[in-house]
């Protein structure tokens, strides 16, 4: 008999891998000061990974709104602040960085992750060490121009608008993103497998970002984000799985 990996989350058994059968998202990528990204990573823990530079002195910060419509953790909204990282043990060029990003085959640190569900909050922090916090969302995934606003206790974190891109081929093959997290001094790596996408659109630029007065907004300002987005994308529907995390650095 197969050894089923099960986690108890708020008294509910969650079996691995966690399956997301339907979600939709939009994302914008901004360049950020490499040393500021390094400092942000160090403030959270001792993860032995370096930011992947898309050009000299500039790393890549991705801001993404996701609507999880049908999955093992229930429906919820999510806003992610992610940094693209160098693959462990080797140096990657700016060109390979962009190719990895386009194919969803990349290494990314999940730096901040507001959500609007108690269950996914507990699962994310307890199983994968994702730095989830509870927040409030106003999101429009249905219009041609996507818009998301996330705040906590009345304090704006970010307001992001993504313009309509051009259609690109959808991927039906499995691609794996290695997602890294740091929580309470513990660093983990989680395989995030993208199994299908449909309705993908992308473009150069095409995003407008407004930051508020929340501490996460202050952190984003310290990154010296580019005024213009490098790229913006939206996906009408995607499915994916999250497997168990591997501990990279134990608790202090």
């Amino acid at each position: 008999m197969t050894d089923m990996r099960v986690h108890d989350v708020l008294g509910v058994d969650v079996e691995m891998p966690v399956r997301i059968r339907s979600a939709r998202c939009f994302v914008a990528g901004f360049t950020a000061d490499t040393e500021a990204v390094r400092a942000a990573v160090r403030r959270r823990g001792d993860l032995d990974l370096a930011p992947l530079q898309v050009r000299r002195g500039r790393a890549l910060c991705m801001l993404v709104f996701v609507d999880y419509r049908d999955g093992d953790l229930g429906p919820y909204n999510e806003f992610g602040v992610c940094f693209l990282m160098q693959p462990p043990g080797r140096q990657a060029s700016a060109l390979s960085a962009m190719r990895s990003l386009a194919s969803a085959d990349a290494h990314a640190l999940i730096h901040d992750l507001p959500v609007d569900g108690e269950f996914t909050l507990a699962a994310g922090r307890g199983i994968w060490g994702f730095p989830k916090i509870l927040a409030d969302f106003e999101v429009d995934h249905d219009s041609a121009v996507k818009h998301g606003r996330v705040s906590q206790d009345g304090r704006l974190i970010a307001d992001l608008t993504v313009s309509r891109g051009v259609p690109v081929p959808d991927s039906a093959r499995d691609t794996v993103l290695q997602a890294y997290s740091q929580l309470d001094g513990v660093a983990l790596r989680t395989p995030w497998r993208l199994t299908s996408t449909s309705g993908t659109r992308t473009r150069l630029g095409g995003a407008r970002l407004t930051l508020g007065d929340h501490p996460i907004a202050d952190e984003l300002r310290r990154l010296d984000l580019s005024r213009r987005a490098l790229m913006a994308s939206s996906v009408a529907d995607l499915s994916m799985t999250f497997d168990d995390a591997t501990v990279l650095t134990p608790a202090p």
Side-chain angles (χ1 to χ4, degrees), residues 140-187:
D140 179 6
H141 287 271
D142 296 315
S143 301
V145 175
K146 315 301 181 185
H147 174 251
R149 182 180 179 89
V150 56
S151 59
Q152 185 187 52
D153 298 328
R155 302 175 70 182
L156 176 65
I157 297 173
D159 186 298
L160 179 66
T161 300
V162 167
S163 298
R164 185 180 179 88
V166 298
V168 298
D170 292 308
S171 171
R173 70 188 190 281
D174 285 355
T175 53
V176 179
L177 168 71
Q178 297 297 333
Y180 298 84
S181 59
Q182 296 181 115
L183 187 66
D184 300 328
V186 180

Side-chain angles (χ1 to χ4, degrees), residues 3-237:
D3 180 23
M4 183 67 70
R5 294 158 295 161
V6 179
H7 295 268
D8 180 282
V9 178
L10 302 181
V12 176
D13 287 344
V14 176
E15 299 177 354
M16 296 288 105
V18 163
R19 302 183 185 280
I20 306 300
R21 289 168 288 277
S22 179
R24 52 185 176 172
C25 70
F26 57 91
V27 57
F30 296 84
T31 68
D33 180 80
T34 300
E35 291 307 313
V37 172
R38 290 184 198 275
V41 173
R42 284 196 299 268
R43 282 194 289 272
R44 291 286 178 86
D46 190 25
L47 182 64
D48 188 23
L49 287 177
L52 200 160
Q53 297 190 92
V54 293
R55 60 182 174 85
R56 191 175 186 86
R58 303 295 290 181
L60 189 62
C61 177
M62 308 298 295
L63 304 180
V64 56
F65 279 90
V66 188
D67 174 20
Y68 292 89
R69 295 186 285 184
D70 179 15
D72 293 348
L73 303 182
Y76 63 96
N77 286 288
E78 180 177 272
F79 172 72
V81 177
C82 313
F83 304 133
L84 206 62
M85 308 300 284
Q86 288 277 4
R90 64 183 175 90
Q91 295 290 313
S93 67
L95 180 59
S96 66
M98 298 313 295
R99 285 174 176 169
S100 294
L101 182 64
S103 65
D105 181 18
H107 297 256
L109 172 64
I110 314 302
H111 189 64
D112 286 298
L113 205 61
V115 295
D116 64 358
E118 292 275 4
F119 189 76
T120 188
L121 173 78
R125 295 179 71 91
I127 300 174
W128 303 289
F130 290 146
K132 293 188 175 184
I133 63 170
L134 282 179
D136 300 308
F137 287 76
E138 299 174 31
V139 191
D140 179 6
H141 287 271
D142 296 315
S143 301
V145 175
K146 315 301 181 185
H147 174 251
R149 182 180 179 89
V150 56
S151 59
Q152 185 187 52
D153 298 328
R155 302 175 70 182
L156 176 65
I157 297 173
D159 186 298
L160 179 66
T161 300
V162 167
S163 298
R164 185 180 179 88
V166 298
V168 298
D170 292 308
S171 171
R173 70 188 190 281
D174 285 355
T175 53
V176 179
L177 168 71
Q178 297 297 333
Y180 298 84
S181 59
Q182 296 181 115
L183 187 66
D184 300 328
V186 180
L188 302 100
R189 182 183 67 241
T190 300
W192 169 19
R193 185 177 299 276
L194 182 66
T195 54
S196 70
T197 62
S198 64
T200 302
R201 290 179 172 270
T202 192
R203 58 167 292 164
L204 296 176
R208 185 175 71 250
L209 173 66
T210 301
L211 299 175
D213 60 351
H214 189 277
I216 293 177
D218 293 337
E219 174 98 306
L220 288 170
R221 286 192 187 88
R222 286 193 291 268
L223 298 177
D224 185 28
L225 297 178
S226 55
R227 288 189 177 183
R228 291 176 57 86
L230 189 63
M231 51 74 66
S233 294
S234 62
V235 183
D237 191 73

